[in-house]
Amino acid sequence: MNSPSSSSAAPGTVPPAPASPVPTPAPVRHAFALWMIAVAAGAFETVLAVSEMAADGSGSAGEIGVGLTIRLTVFTAAWWCAVRMRQGHGWARLALTLGLGIGGTASMVAEPLGRLADGVSVGALLSDVGALDLAFAVSRTLHVLAVLTAVTLMFLPAANAYFATARRSRASAAALSAER
């Protein structure tokens, strides 16, 4: 009879880990898709902002380059964290929630809310809206909704159970590997 730590691998070798020891539940899969939508929306907004800056000369090449570098870094980190979150890593769920769910959303809504708080009416904000502004507003709305919905989905009961099970599975695999 095989013990729980025995395997069919050759002595001295470690068998490959299963590709996905815990099935990913729908809320986590949907949250991942929404994070990808948020990254795409952010990239689209970046293209719009750079196009506007280039067209009206409001940003130097250096300023645009620094902005693009920062955004590319954020988009890459968001994508990487979303991939790790989908794999059941709780730290990635937390990083997405704190970094982009709270910090990122605050940065996206601060300017328009600040203008409203300064007494600018919604009508005044909308009076000079052009096609570029409308495209940006639609993208930004989709972006914020995707982020807020993704954060919510990542903390539903099925997602919480998934992260807990994935953590236990990794701990068991590490303990099993340490025994060898």
Side-chain angles (χ1 to χ4, degrees), residues 23-150:
T24 308
V28 173
R29 291 191 316 270
H30 295 272
F32 174 79
L34 287 165
W35 283 116
M36 295 303 98
I37 289 169
V39 168
F44 179 71
E45 292 159 25
T46 299
V47 169
L48 292 177
V50 168
S51 297
E52 183 175 32
M53 291 169 73
D56 67 15
S58 62
S60 70
E63 291 169 329
I64 292 172
V66 168
L68 287 174
T69 301
I70 291 168
R71 287 176 181 265
L72 181 59
T73 301
V74 170
F75 299 153
T76 302
W79 170 82
W80 185 72
C81 284
V83 167
R84 302 301 283 177
M85 179 276 303
R86 186 181 59 185
Q87 295 170 344
H89 293 275
W91 64 264
R93 175 173 72 159
L94 186 61
L96 289 166
T97 300
L98 296 176
L100 298 176
I102 295 172
T105 299
S107 73
M108 289 190 288
V109 301
E111 191 267 332
L113 290 179
R115 291 185 69 191
L116 291 172
D118 288 341
V120 177
S121 70
V122 173
L125 286 174
L126 298 176
S127 65
D128 294 328
V129 172
L132 188 66
D133 298 317
L134 185 58
F136 192 88
V138 168
S139 180
R140 180 57 54 96
T141 300
L142 175 66
H143 190 160
V144 170
L145 290 174
V147 167
L148 296 177
T149 305

Side-chain angles (χ1 to χ4, degrees), residues 7-16 180:
S7 73
S8 59
T13 64
V14 177
R180 295 182 185 157

